[in-house]
Amino acid sequence: MSRLTLSRLKKSFAEIEIIKGIDLEVNEGEFVVFVGPSGCGKSTLLRMIAGLEDVTEGEIIIGGKPVKDLPPVKRGIAMVFQSYALYPHMSVFENIAFPLRVEKLPHDQVNARVQQAAKVLQLETRLQQRPGTLSGGQRQRVAIGRAIVRQPKIFLFDEPLSNLDAALRSEMRIELMELHKRLGSTMIYVTHDQVEAMTMADKIVVLNAGEIEQVGSPLELYHKPDNLFVAGFIGSPKMNFISGKVAAAEGGEVVVDLHGLGRIALKRQGAGDLVGSEVTLGIRPEHLAKDGGPFSFSVTPKIVERLGIHTVTYSTLPSGENFTGLFEGDPHVAEGEPFSIGIDPAQCHLFDEQGKAVA
C-alpha cells in the first residue's frame, strides 16, 4: 500500500508558521504535483513527508502507518532532488547501487536491481561511465535510477528539472510520465512551473502561503478555479482580470458594469445578494475573439508577440489593468493600432469581493 494521508499538518520555525494545517489524501498510483509560487511551502511540505523536516503538529500516514517519528530510511520513500547529488568519483553503476550497498544487500541482488533500473531509464550503455561524462538529462536519470532501485512505496521529486534547458525539460517531462506509467508507483512532484503541473499531474495541489487553495485535476483547476489566486496561477498566459460592479441580478442572470467598458450579462445562480458589490470578471487570453463577439470593446496593443502557432497581444485597459490576448496563427494586429476584442459570457469567470468564485 502506498496511500499517503496528511492530517492537520503544521510546521513552524520559531514563531513563523510555514505550513498551516494541511489535510490531503494521495491515492495509490497517483501522480500528484504540488505547485505554487516561491515561498509557498511546497518544498517544506515535501521534506516533511520525506522525514527531512520535523513535524510541528499533525500526522503523516503512509500505507496506513503513522511515520512522522520514523527516520527517512524507514518510511518507504525515495527522493530525487533539484541537484543531482551524484558521486563524481563513482561510476553510474555504483551511483545507482549506492543505497543498496548501504543496506548491505547481496551482490547478485544489487546487480539485478541496478540492471533493471538502467533498462527502464535507457542507461545500460552508460553504467561504467562517470557522471562528469554525462549530459544533464542523463545525470538526472542516474539520480532517478538511484531512487528506483530502492523500490519505494512513494517517489518524491523536488523540482528535478529546474537545472535543465527548455528543450531537455520537455523531453524529461515525457520520460517521467512514461516512467510513472511503467512503474505504477505513487509519485509526488514539486514545481513552481504551472505548465509542468498541467502536463504531468493526475491531481494538482495548489499551495499559497502554507495553505491549500485548491485540489483537483488539471482541467478542473483550469475550467473551475475556486478563487482569484488559482485562476491567476493556472494557465499561461495568465487569466485577465477586469474590475466591475454588480448592477443587477435576477432569474439566474447577473449584470456586471465593467467601469467604462460596458455591461455584460452572465448566467450565475448564486449572485442574487451581490447587487451593488464590487466583483472581478475573469477571462482567459485564449478565450478571446478578434473583431468582436457577444460582448466587445476596443484595445490598443503595446506589444505584439508573433510565435507562429499563435500571436499574443499586451494592452492596458482604461482602468489601468493589463490585458492579454492570445489568438491562433498570425491575425492582423499591430502595436499602437486599436482592434475589437470579443468576449463570450459563457467563457467568463466571476469572483466576489473576497476573491471567491461565484457559481
Side-chain angles (χ1 to χ4, degrees), residues 266-289:
L266 309 174
K267 297 292 185 182
R268 289 294 186 280
Q269 296 294 329
D273 57 350
L274 294 179
V275 176
S277 66
E278 295 293 325
V279 292
T280 302
L281 181 86
I283 182 71
R284 295 198 180 278
E286 58 270 30
H287 292 158
L288 300 172

PDB file of all heavy atoms in Angstrom, residues 266-289:
ATOM      1  N   LEU A 266     -24.136  37.683 -17.299  1.00  0.00           N
ATOM      2  CA  LEU A 266     -23.613  36.331 -17.101  1.00  0.00           C
ATOM      3  C   LEU A 266     -24.663  35.455 -16.439  1.00  0.00           C
ATOM      4  O   LEU A 266     -25.471  35.929 -15.633  1.00  0.00           O
ATOM      5  CB  LEU A 266     -22.362  36.363 -16.202  1.00  0.00           C
ATOM      6  CG  LEU A 266     -21.230  37.324 -16.565  1.00  0.00           C
ATOM      7  CD1 LEU A 266     -20.172  37.291 -15.478  1.00  0.00           C
ATOM      8  CD2 LEU A 266     -20.623  36.956 -17.915  1.00  0.00           C
ATOM      9  N   LYS A 267     -24.655  34.181 -16.763  1.00  0.00           N
ATOM     10  CA  LYS A 267     -25.519  33.215 -16.095  1.00  0.00           C
ATOM     11  C   LYS A 267     -24.875  32.821 -14.763  1.00  0.00           C
ATOM     12  O   LYS A 267     -23.834  32.173 -14.728  1.00  0.00           O
ATOM     13  CB  LYS A 267     -25.699  31.966 -16.966  1.00  0.00           C
ATOM     14  CG  LYS A 267     -26.391  32.210 -18.294  1.00  0.00           C
ATOM     15  CD  LYS A 267     -27.864  32.585 -18.110  1.00  0.00           C
ATOM     16  CE  LYS A 267     -28.556  32.712 -19.467  1.00  0.00           C
ATOM     17  NZ  LYS A 267     -29.974  33.116 -19.309  1.00  0.00           N
ATOM     18  N   ARG A 268     -25.469  33.242 -13.657  1.00  0.00           N
ATOM     19  CA  ARG A 268     -24.963  32.903 -12.327  1.00  0.00           C
ATOM     20  C   ARG A 268     -26.145  32.751 -11.372  1.00  0.00           C
ATOM     21  O   ARG A 268     -26.904  33.703 -11.147  1.00  0.00           O
ATOM     22  CB  ARG A 268     -24.013  33.990 -11.790  1.00  0.00           C
ATOM     23  CG  ARG A 268     -22.671  34.070 -12.481  1.00  0.00           C
ATOM     24  CD  ARG A 268     -21.818  32.825 -12.234  1.00  0.00           C
ATOM     25  NE  ARG A 268     -20.487  32.958 -12.773  1.00  0.00           N
ATOM     26  CZ  ARG A 268     -20.142  32.781 -14.049  1.00  0.00           C
ATOM     27  NH1 ARG A 268     -21.080  32.470 -14.935  1.00  0.00           N
ATOM     28  NH2 ARG A 268     -18.889  32.902 -14.450  1.00  0.00           N
ATOM     29  N   GLN A 269     -26.273  31.570 -10.785  1.00  0.00           N
ATOM     30  CA  GLN A 269     -27.376  31.321  -9.861  1.00  0.00           C
ATOM     31  C   GLN A 269     -27.116  31.919  -8.487  1.00  0.00           C
ATOM     32  O   GLN A 269     -28.050  32.284  -7.776  1.00  0.00           O
ATOM     33  CB  GLN A 269     -27.611  29.801  -9.718  1.00  0.00           C
ATOM     34  CG  GLN A 269     -28.048  29.116 -10.998  1.00  0.00           C
ATOM     35  CD  GLN A 269     -29.416  29.567 -11.464  1.00  0.00           C
ATOM     36  OE1 GLN A 269     -30.284  29.920 -10.662  1.00  0.00           O
ATOM     37  NE2 GLN A 269     -29.624  29.578 -12.778  1.00  0.00           N
ATOM     38  N   GLY A 270     -25.810  32.032  -8.116  1.00  0.00           N
ATOM     39  CA  GLY A 270     -25.507  32.429  -6.756  1.00  0.00           C
ATOM     40  C   GLY A 270     -25.132  33.888  -6.587  1.00  0.00           C
ATOM     41  O   GLY A 270     -24.355  34.224  -5.702  1.00  0.00           O
ATOM     42  N   ALA A 271     -25.671  34.770  -7.430  1.00  0.00           N
ATOM     43  CA  ALA A 271     -25.258  36.178  -7.392  1.00  0.00           C
ATOM     44  C   ALA A 271     -26.354  37.116  -6.921  1.00  0.00           C
ATOM     45  O   ALA A 271     -26.196  38.328  -6.990  1.00  0.00           O
ATOM     46  CB  ALA A 271     -24.784  36.602  -8.779  1.00  0.00           C
ATOM     47  N   GLY A 272     -27.467  36.560  -6.394  1.00  0.00           N
ATOM     48  CA  GLY A 272     -28.600  37.403  -6.028  1.00  0.00           C
ATOM     49  C   GLY A 272     -28.295  38.434  -4.954  1.00  0.00           C
ATOM     50  O   GLY A 272     -28.889  39.515  -4.941  1.00  0.00           O
ATOM     51  N   ASP A 273     -27.364  38.115  -4.043  1.00  0.00           N
ATOM     52  CA  ASP A 273     -27.070  39.044  -2.944  1.00  0.00           C
ATOM     53  C   ASP A 273     -25.842  39.902  -3.225  1.00  0.00           C
ATOM     54  O   ASP A 273     -25.315  40.546  -2.316  1.00  0.00           O
ATOM     55  CB  ASP A 273     -26.859  38.265  -1.640  1.00  0.00           C
ATOM     56  CG  ASP A 273     -25.749  37.232  -1.742  1.00  0.00           C
ATOM     57  OD1 ASP A 273     -25.271  36.989  -2.876  1.00  0.00           O
ATOM     58  OD2 ASP A 273     -25.355  36.674  -0.698  1.00  0.00           O
ATOM     59  N   LEU A 274     -25.384  39.933  -4.482  1.00  0.00           N
ATOM     60  CA  LEU A 274     -24.178  40.688  -4.813  1.00  0.00           C
ATOM     61  C   LEU A 274     -24.470  42.058  -5.433  1.00  0.00           C
ATOM     62  O   LEU A 274     -23.536  42.786  -5.773  1.00  0.00           O
ATOM     63  CB  LEU A 274     -23.302  39.889  -5.793  1.00  0.00           C
ATOM     64  CG  LEU A 274     -22.687  38.592  -5.261  1.00  0.00           C
ATOM     65  CD1 LEU A 274     -21.874  37.907  -6.358  1.00  0.00           C
ATOM     66  CD2 LEU A 274     -21.822  38.852  -4.040  1.00  0.00           C
ATOM     67  N   VAL A 275     -25.741  42.408  -5.596  1.00  0.00           N
ATOM     68  CA  VAL A 275     -26.080  43.685  -6.234  1.00  0.00           C
ATOM     69  C   VAL A 275     -25.455  44.845  -5.461  1.00  0.00           C
ATOM     70  O   VAL A 275     -25.578  44.955  -4.240  1.00  0.00           O
ATOM     71  CB  VAL A 275     -27.604  43.875  -6.321  1.00  0.00           C
ATOM     72  CG1 VAL A 275     -27.937  45.246  -6.901  1.00  0.00           C
ATOM     73  CG2 VAL A 275     -28.232  42.778  -7.174  1.00  0.00           C
ATOM     74  N   GLY A 276     -24.717  45.681  -6.199  1.00  0.00           N
ATOM     75  CA  GLY A 276     -24.049  46.826  -5.603  1.00  0.00           C
ATOM     76  C   GLY A 276     -22.639  46.546  -5.115  1.00  0.00           C
ATOM     77  O   GLY A 276     -21.921  47.478  -4.741  1.00  0.00           O
ATOM     78  N   SER A 277     -22.227  45.286  -5.119  1.00  0.00           N
ATOM     79  CA  SER A 277     -20.896  44.944  -4.606  1.00  0.00           C
ATOM     80  C   SER A 277     -19.866  44.902  -5.736  1.00  0.00           C
ATOM     81  O   SER A 277     -20.196  44.692  -6.904  1.00  0.00           O
ATOM     82  CB  SER A 277     -20.922  43.605  -3.881  1.00  0.00           C
ATOM     83  OG  SER A 277     -21.210  42.553  -4.782  1.00  0.00           O
ATOM     84  N   GLU A 278     -18.609  45.113  -5.358  1.00  0.00           N
ATOM     85  CA  GLU A 278     -17.509  45.035  -6.311  1.00  0.00           C
ATOM     86  C   GLU A 278     -17.183  43.564  -6.599  1.00  0.00           C
ATOM     87  O   GLU A 278     -17.172  42.729  -5.690  1.00  0.00           O
ATOM     88  CB  GLU A 278     -16.259  45.733  -5.757  1.00  0.00           C
ATOM     89  CG  GLU A 278     -16.412  47.234  -5.568  1.00  0.00           C
ATOM     90  CD  GLU A 278     -16.554  47.990  -6.879  1.00  0.00           C
ATOM     91  OE1 GLU A 278     -15.924  47.568  -7.873  1.00  0.00           O
ATOM     92  OE2 GLU A 278     -17.297  48.987  -6.911  1.00  0.00           O
ATOM     93  N   VAL A 279     -16.918  43.262  -7.866  1.00  0.00           N
ATOM     94  CA  VAL A 279     -16.574  41.910  -8.288  1.00  0.00           C
ATOM     95  C   VAL A 279     -15.419  41.982  -9.280  1.00  0.00           C
ATOM     96  O   VAL A 279     -15.006  43.069  -9.709  1.00  0.00           O
ATOM     97  CB  VAL A 279     -17.785  41.190  -8.934  1.00  0.00           C
ATOM     98  CG1 VAL A 279     -18.859  40.902  -7.905  1.00  0.00           C
ATOM     99  CG2 VAL A 279     -18.332  41.997 -10.103  1.00  0.00           C
ATOM    100  N   THR A 280     -14.902  40.817  -9.625  1.00  0.00           N
ATOM    101  CA  THR A 280     -13.844  40.722 -10.637  1.00  0.00           C
ATOM    102  C   THR A 280     -14.277  39.745 -11.709  1.00  0.00           C
ATOM    103  O   THR A 280     -14.665  38.602 -11.398  1.00  0.00           O
ATOM    104  CB  THR A 280     -12.517  40.253 -10.011  1.00  0.00           C
ATOM    105  OG1 THR A 280     -12.125  41.165  -8.985  1.00  0.00           O
ATOM    106  CG2 THR A 280     -11.424  40.184 -11.058  1.00  0.00           C
ATOM    107  N   LEU A 281     -14.225  40.184 -12.952  1.00  0.00           N
ATOM    108  CA  LEU A 281     -14.519  39.315 -14.091  1.00  0.00           C
ATOM    109  C   LEU A 281     -13.207  38.723 -14.592  1.00  0.00           C
ATOM    110  O   LEU A 281     -12.211  39.439 -14.752  1.00  0.00           O
ATOM    111  CB  LEU A 281     -15.181  40.120 -15.211  1.00  0.00           C
ATOM    112  CG  LEU A 281     -15.567  39.313 -16.454  1.00  0.00           C
ATOM    113  CD1 LEU A 281     -16.941  38.693 -16.262  1.00  0.00           C
ATOM    114  CD2 LEU A 281     -15.551  40.179 -17.706  1.00  0.00           C
ATOM    115  N   GLY A 282     -13.194  37.420 -14.816  1.00  0.00           N
ATOM    116  CA  GLY A 282     -12.003  36.761 -15.347  1.00  0.00           C
ATOM    117  C   GLY A 282     -12.276  36.184 -16.720  1.00  0.00           C
ATOM    118  O   GLY A 282     -13.341  35.603 -16.956  1.00  0.00           O
ATOM    119  N   ILE A 283     -11.329  36.351 -17.634  1.00  0.00           N
ATOM    120  CA  ILE A 283     -11.436  35.765 -18.970  1.00  0.00           C
ATOM    121  C   ILE A 283     -10.037  35.370 -19.424  1.00  0.00           C
ATOM    122  O   ILE A 283      -9.097  36.158 -19.333  1.00  0.00           O
ATOM    123  CB  ILE A 283     -12.100  36.733 -19.987  1.00  0.00           C
ATOM    124  CG1 ILE A 283     -12.243  36.075 -21.367  1.00  0.00           C
ATOM    125  CG2 ILE A 283     -11.367  38.053 -20.068  1.00  0.00           C
ATOM    126  CD1 ILE A 283     -13.281  34.989 -21.438  1.00  0.00           C
ATOM    127  N   ARG A 284      -9.880  34.143 -19.879  1.00  0.00           N
ATOM    128  CA  ARG A 284      -8.568  33.683 -20.304  1.00  0.00           C
ATOM    129  C   ARG A 284      -8.202  34.266 -21.669  1.00  0.00           C
ATOM    130  O   ARG A 284      -9.081  34.424 -22.545  1.00  0.00           O
ATOM    131  CB  ARG A 284      -8.514  32.153 -20.349  1.00  0.00           C
ATOM    132  CG  ARG A 284      -8.684  31.522 -18.978  1.00  0.00           C
ATOM    133  CD  ARG A 284      -8.202  30.092 -18.948  1.00  0.00           C
ATOM    134  NE  ARG A 284      -8.382  29.507 -17.624  1.00  0.00           N
ATOM    135  CZ  ARG A 284      -7.552  29.666 -16.609  1.00  0.00           C
ATOM    136  NH1 ARG A 284      -6.464  30.408 -16.770  1.00  0.00           N
ATOM    137  NH2 ARG A 284      -7.788  29.099 -15.428  1.00  0.00           N
ATOM    138  N   PRO A 285      -6.913  34.583 -21.890  1.00  0.00           N
ATOM    139  CA  PRO A 285      -6.491  35.173 -23.172  1.00  0.00           C
ATOM    140  C   PRO A 285      -6.872  34.338 -24.374  1.00  0.00           C
ATOM    141  O   PRO A 285      -7.199  34.874 -25.438  1.00  0.00           O
ATOM    142  CB  PRO A 285      -4.965  35.269 -23.014  1.00  0.00           C
ATOM    143  CG  PRO A 285      -4.746  35.394 -21.553  1.00  0.00           C
ATOM    144  CD  PRO A 285      -5.794  34.531 -20.915  1.00  0.00           C
ATOM    145  N   GLU A 286      -6.852  33.000 -24.232  1.00  0.00           N
ATOM    146  CA  GLU A 286      -7.164  32.121 -25.361  1.00  0.00           C
ATOM    147  C   GLU A 286      -8.650  32.022 -25.646  1.00  0.00           C
ATOM    148  O   GLU A 286      -9.051  31.446 -26.672  1.00  0.00           O
ATOM    149  CB  GLU A 286      -6.588  30.715 -25.125  1.00  0.00           C
ATOM    150  CG  GLU A 286      -7.062  30.027 -23.874  1.00  0.00           C
ATOM    151  CD  GLU A 286      -6.181  30.306 -22.660  1.00  0.00           C
ATOM    152  OE1 GLU A 286      -5.582  31.403 -22.584  1.00  0.00           O
ATOM    153  OE2 GLU A 286      -6.112  29.436 -21.782  1.00  0.00           O
ATOM    154  N   HIS A 287      -9.484  32.582 -24.775  1.00  0.00           N
ATOM    155  CA  HIS A 287     -10.924  32.549 -24.986  1.00  0.00           C
ATOM    156  C   HIS A 287     -11.464  33.846 -25.581  1.00  0.00           C
ATOM    157  O   HIS A 287     -12.678  34.024 -25.686  1.00  0.00           O
ATOM    158  CB  HIS A 287     -11.642  32.245 -23.659  1.00  0.00           C
ATOM    159  CG  HIS A 287     -11.399  30.858 -23.171  1.00  0.00           C
ATOM    160  ND1 HIS A 287     -11.558  30.488 -21.844  1.00  0.00           N
ATOM    161  CD2 HIS A 287     -10.984  29.746 -23.825  1.00  0.00           C
ATOM    162  CE1 HIS A 287     -11.267  29.205 -21.713  1.00  0.00           C
ATOM    163  NE2 HIS A 287     -10.922  28.735 -22.901  1.00  0.00           N
ATOM    164  N   LEU A 288     -10.582  34.743 -25.983  1.00  0.00           N
ATOM    165  CA  LEU A 288     -10.986  35.991 -26.619  1.00  0.00           C
ATOM    166  C   LEU A 288     -11.117  35.802 -28.121  1.00  0.00           C
ATOM    167  O   LEU A 288     -10.461  34.943 -28.722  1.00  0.00           O
ATOM    168  CB  LEU A 288      -9.952  37.085 -26.334  1.00  0.00           C
ATOM    169  CG  LEU A 288      -9.717  37.430 -24.861  1.00  0.00           C
ATOM    170  CD1 LEU A 288      -8.529  38.372 -24.725  1.00  0.00           C
ATOM    171  CD2 LEU A 288     -10.967  38.042 -24.244  1.00  0.00           C
ATOM    172  N   ALA A 289     -11.958  36.609 -28.728  1.00  0.00           N
ATOM    173  CA  ALA A 289     -12.131  36.587 -30.183  1.00  0.00           C
ATOM    174  C   ALA A 289     -11.716  37.937 -30.749  1.00  0.00           C
ATOM    175  O   ALA A 289     -12.025  38.988 -30.171  1.00  0.00           O
ATOM    176  CB  ALA A 289     -13.582  36.285 -30.548  1.00  0.00           C
TER     177      ALA A 289
END
